[in-house]
Amino acid sequence: MFFHIVLERNMQLHPRYFGRNLRDNLVSKLMKDVEGTCSGRHGFVVAVTGIENIGKGIIRDGTGFVTFPVKYQCVVFRPFKGEILEAVVTMVNKMGFFAEAGPVQIFVSNHLIPDDMEFQTGDMPNYTTSDGSVKIQKDSEVRLKIIGTRVDATEIFCIGTIKDDFLGVINDPATV
Amino acid sequence: MSDDETEFPDSTDSSGSTDELIEKLEDELDDDGADNSSSDEEAQSQDSRIKRLKSDSTSVTEASTSEGTTEQKSDGCMHPGSFGGICIHCGQKVDAESGVSFGYIHKGLKLDDKEISRVRDIDVKNLLNRRKLCLVLDLDHTLLNTTFLYRLSSEEMHLKTHTDSLEDISKGSLFMLEHVQVMTKLRPFVRTFLKEASEMFEMYIYTMGDRRYSLEMAKLLDPQGLYFKDKVISREDGTQKNVKDLDLVLGTENSILILDDKEEVWPKYRDNLILMERYHFFNSSCQDFGLQCKSLAALNIDENETDGALAKILEVLRQINYKFFDELQGDLVDRDVRQVLSSFRGEVLRGCVIVFSLNFRGDLRILRRIAERLGATCLKKHDPTVTHVVATDFVTKESRWAVEEKKFLVNRRWLEAADFYFQKQPEENFLCQNALVSGS
């Protein structure tokens, strides 16, 4: 799920950036540092949308760096256990398939794929129902439910399932 | 909750905030402790469980319904594997140490032994039904030869201007990869080899190079990703240092063949191994193996395309595949490709009776093993049934006897070539020189 929240961060700035463009430098450094990172609490920071407040800078003894507490607004993405998401399939193999929903990697193991879907190997490995009516392959869009999440330094890992009602392929790339 | 926690609190918990729930559980557990004549152990396990509850909040809802059972199996899940540290079946956090890492398929994927066997069995059945076996290929000196740019000799410098374009990889065979500072030459016939082998085998790459290198090479060999999509195993994926194993290959021992130029890296699977003659295109490669000769590049020649090692081995593979599916009896899953391989080898020198005349005892043992594996009979002393004498270029009693009796007097390379090519080689190409000249 996406959220638009306010976060705070202490930014350290080297004196070479002081001067007329101090604020711009600070903002671009913030964006470079924060966009694309993730944390356990807020999830993945997708983009900084605005600066709410920049506090007074404190000069650090000994180094000359200045620390500014910056409050900024940003869009974050955080998956929750039990959430239903739409994702794009990136890789299909005999163990299940991998899908991506924004910055999040989701794995749906074949234990959590309906039993009537079988793995077919080949140029475009896929999972297909016995009558061939439903096919999951690379670039298919699927609706899945998150059953577990974990965050590490730069990535969010999720486990999903499509075994419940109303889950599965939304869009077959072959017919698009 | 600090920023370093790696668990998301379960926000769909309808019984209020997780803090309240933890307090409720603590109370409950404290009551239990007072009622039982609890030993220290029980109290400790309850304490540790409380501690775990506080830091591992996703399992709070599970733990509350199954007190007394172990945390991991609380919902009966066998945890067949994990992705990023969470079970792929139930989503709970799992023990980081368990399972075999299958990072070559996708980062973060680990599988439990039972799951690996399950997938392996299904996979093998699938392959066998399509008349396919499994082939594990090495990269360096087997399918290609790579050198660092700084190691190019002066005679090889001209190659820099003759490299093939990276825009159209499938047409080229000599590539310069500036971003990693190497030049790579694909072995002649390799593209045809891969295309035809892919119809009979599911192929894996298993190399001692690092992942970045192996993925680059896989792109050169297979630009369309038809053969090796998620089947490139590199050094970092290997479970043991300096040794290759079949634990990461999703196939069973009796249906896998290995093509590698080094025997030592496959200590457990020598019977599945087909040793490849090394491809030394660049000077640095010759140097690395202590060879004094000039490299193919320096001499401006290359291995013969249609008659070289890869072409010959492709034929051998074709015949082994045929023998496996059409000549062996019994259930497909019970047939053994190693049996086919050794009986195939055993035909190569059938009928040959060999006597050795060598200086080093160590060599004798190795060559004798090769000869016997190829179906030859090896004798300790010469007698009238002998057909070949394998000697060095020094004149010996045996070599003189061979010339007198008009037996074939060949050097060890005759045996080695027969081993590489699975074919008896014409003896004229491997005659011992000096013995003939001075023999009488």
Side-chain angles (χ1 to χ4, degrees):
Chain A
M1 213 183 303
F2 288 94
F3 295 92
H4 192 200
I5 56 174
V6 174
L7 292 178
E8 182 165 346
R9 189 183 170 88
N10 288 327
M11 298 294 309
Q12 290 219 9
L13 206 59
H14 188 281
R16 80 165 79 100
Y17 299 115
F18 297 172
R20 200 188 324 197
N21 298 323
L22 175 74
R23 193 195 160 92
D24 291 336
N25 285 331
L26 197 57
V27 172
S28 45
K29 185 162 197 286
L30 172 76
M31 291 176 131
K32 216 170 14 151
D33 277 2
V34 142
E35 279 176 2
T37 61
C38 65
S39 74
R41 203 160 149 209
H42 303 116
F44 213 89
V45 177
V46 177
V48 173
T49 54
I51 307 288
E52 207 170 76
N53 177 33
I54 302 183
K56 285 200 193 305
I58 302 173
I59 306 176
R60 311 218 67 86
D61 297 334
T63 60
F65 275 78
V66 175
T67 305
F68 291 93
V70 181
K71 271 212 183 77
Y72 58 99
Q73 291 172 329
C74 57
V75 174
V76 294
F77 180 75
R78 189 180 130 170
F80 285 83
K81 181 169 151 184
E83 183 181 349
I84 314 274
L85 276 186
E86 273 133 40
V88 175
V89 176
T90 52
M91 187 200 287
V92 181
N93 60 40
K94 41 198 97 125
M95 261 84 59
F97 64 85
F98 289 88
E100 237 167 54
V104 167
Q105 296 279 342
I106 308 168
F107 178 55
V108 180
S109 114
N110 59 11
H111 296 263
L112 299 173
I113 295 178
D115 299 325
D116 60 347
M117 296 198 90
E118 291 229 334
F119 176 67
Q120 315 280 354
T121 190
D123 275 5
M124 277 291 250
N126 59 67
Y127 279 88
T128 314
T129 47
S130 36
D131 57 3
S133 56
V134 184
K135 200 196 273 202
I136 299 180
Q137 60 188 17
K138 185 165 188 285
D139 297 332
S140 299
E141 287 170 32
V142 291
R143 185 172 290 126
L144 45 83
K145 183 159 109 167
I146 307 282
I147 58 163
T149 59
R150 180 135 189 269
V151 177
D152 105 344
T154 50
E155 281 176 274
I156 305 182
F157 298 101
C158 295
I159 300 295
T161 173
I162 55 167
K163 223 170 185 181
D164 290 343
D165 290 338
F166 309 114
L167 299 177
V169 176
I170 317 167
N171 184 2
D172 188 353
T175 59
V176 165
Chain B
M1 288 168 232
S2 67
D3 264 359
D4 339 331
E5 84 169 357
T6 54
E7 287 297 335
F8 291 138
D10 189 357
S11 59
T12 57
D13 186 358
S14 54
S15 59
S17 81
T18 32
D19 279 330
E20 274 183 340
L21 185 53
I22 292 172
E23 266 188 78
K24 246 189 265 177
L25 283 166
E26 269 189 63
D27 288 344
E28 252 183 291
L29 290 168
D30 278 344
D31 283 347
D32 277 353
D35 287 343
N36 303 340
S37 48
S38 50
S39 59
D40 269 351
E41 212 184 273
E42 239 187 277
Q44 265 178 24
S45 72
Q46 283 176 354
D47 280 345
S48 56
R49 193 160 359 118
I50 294 173
K51 285 203 194 98
R52 259 184 280 147
L53 285 175
K54 284 194 178 145
S55 61
D56 189 5
S57 15
T58 43
S59 51
V60 162
T61 41
E62 271 86 45
S64 62
T65 51
S66 56
E67 268 173 65
T69 58
T70 58
E71 194 183 30
Q72 283 211 295
K73 306 258 188 286
S74 61
D75 54 357
C77 179
M78 299 307 289
H79 302 317
S82 67
F83 176 55
I86 33 179
C87 171
I88 58 179
H89 192 117
C90 67
Q92 279 190 330
K93 197 156 156 222
V94 288
D95 188 9
E97 300 304 311
S98 68
V100 180
S101 188
F102 275 76
Y104 73 89
I105 296 182
H106 196 285
K107 182 172 154 193
L109 184 65
K110 276 179 132 190
L111 295 176
D112 171 78
D113 292 332
K114 257 200 231 119
E115 176 73 2
I116 297 174
S117 308
R118 189 189 71 89
V119 175
R120 199 172 254 154
D121 289 336
I122 297 177
D123 212 39
V124 164
K125 272 207 193 81
N126 230 315
L127 280 180
L128 291 177
N129 287 335
R130 291 183 297 142
R131 288 184 67 102
K132 278 192 170 185
L133 294 167
C134 192
L135 185 62
V136 175
L137 296 163
D138 178 47
L139 283 182
D140 293 307
H141 307 106
T142 302
L143 296 180
L144 45 83
N145 191 206
T146 303
T147 181
F148 282 111
L149 291 178
Y150 73 85
R151 289 189 75 187
L152 282 174
S153 71
S154 46
E155 300 145 319
E156 293 172 335
M157 282 300 177
H158 67 275
L159 291 173
K160 279 191 172 173
T161 48
H162 288 94
T163 56
D164 297 313
S165 150
L166 287 168
E167 304 295 310
D168 193 4
I169 295 179
S170 45
K171 296 238 166 69
S173 67
L174 179 65
F175 301 98
M176 177 136 75
L177 302 172
E178 299 255 18
H179 55 286
V180 282
Q181 288 289 297
V182 300
M183 194 183 287
T184 298
K185 171 75 174 60
L186 301 184
R187 196 165 194 167
F189 199 70
V190 75
R191 294 204 195 279
T192 319
F193 175 86
L194 289 176
K195 179 158 174 294
E196 308 216 348
S198 69
E199 285 160 25
M200 303 181 281
F201 294 89
E202 172 150 288
M203 302 193 290
Y204 283 76
I205 286 181
Y206 199 148
T207 174
M208 283 305 199
D210 63 26
R211 189 170 297 147
R212 208 166 61 131
Y213 172 73
S214 55
L215 291 175
E216 287 284 348
M217 294 299 120
K219 253 196 291 184
L220 294 180
L221 286 169
D222 181 25
Q224 294 171 312
L226 297 169
Y227 313 127
F228 303 115
K229 192 95 83 72
D230 52 353
K231 293 184 276 192
V232 179
I233 306 175
S234 335
R235 188 176 58 218
E236 296 101 330
D237 303 309
T239 44
Q240 294 141 70
K241 264 188 100 139
N242 294 330
V243 151
K244 294 185 184 177
D245 201 303
L246 292 178
D247 54 356
L248 292 173
V249 175
L250 293 168
T252 49
E253 281 173 30
N254 54 345
S255 61
I256 299 180
L257 282 175
I258 306 168
L259 277 191
D260 201 321
D261 64 294
K262 277 210 184 85
E263 217 181 347
E264 316 84 71
V265 292
W266 291 101
K268 280 170 34 184
Y269 297 103
R270 289 241 163 91
D271 294 330
N272 300 70
L273 175 64
I274 295 178
L275 201 61
M276 282 295 283
E277 194 184 9
R278 282 195 189 116
Y279 183 51
H280 297 296
F281 188 75
F282 295 110
N283 194 9
S284 59
S285 184
C286 296
Q287 277 178 359
D288 287 340
F289 288 93
L291 298 174
Q292 306 295 348
C293 56
K294 278 192 182 238
S295 66
L296 293 172
L299 294 170
N300 249 320
I301 56 173
D302 202 355
E303 208 179 57
N304 191 316
E305 175 132 359
T306 47
D307 204 30
L310 283 178
K312 294 212 163 95
I313 294 296
L314 179 63
E315 267 321 298
V316 172
L317 291 176
R318 212 190 291 279
Q319 294 196 33
I320 292 179
N321 181 299
Y322 173 78
K323 278 210 164 104
F324 184 94
F325 286 106
D326 294 318
E327 288 183 13
L328 280 189
Q329 302 296 330
D331 273 338
L332 285 176
V333 287
D334 296 325
R335 297 186 197 180
D336 197 331
V337 75
R338 292 169 291 192
Q339 204 190 351
V340 179
L341 183 60
S342 70
S343 74
F344 201 79
R345 273 206 178 103
E347 294 299 314
V348 175
L349 292 183
R350 189 166 294 284
C352 296
V353 182
I354 302 181
V355 141
F356 291 92
S357 173
L358 302 165
N359 303 14
F360 287 135
R361 298 240 67 111
D363 277 359
L364 172 63
R365 208 184 29 210
I366 294 171
L367 290 176
R368 206 193 152 95
R369 184 160 59 89
I370 293 180
E372 284 176 341
R373 210 167 59 155
L374 293 172
T377 320
C378 295
L379 300 178
K380 290 211 191 322
K381 286 177 91 64
H382 56 243
D383 75 16
T385 61
V386 168
T387 54
H388 293 77
V389 175
V390 174
T392 58
D393 290 335
F394 292 102
V395 178
T396 61
K397 190 177 68 179
E398 265 90 13
S399 57
R400 242 182 270 155
W401 175 83
V403 173
E404 276 167 15
E405 300 292 323
K406 305 262 191 290
K407 307 291 184 189
F408 287 114
L409 180 62
V410 288
N411 58 39
R412 59 181 291 166
R413 284 195 292 285
W414 177 78
L415 265 184
E416 288 166 356
D419 194 33
F420 279 136
Y421 298 135
F422 286 76
Q423 246 180 354
K424 189 151 82 102
Q425 301 294 304
E427 289 81 352
E428 304 83 68
N429 301 342
F430 297 91
L431 297 175
C432 287
Q433 297 308 317
N434 298 350
L436 284 176
V437 166
S438 57
S440 87

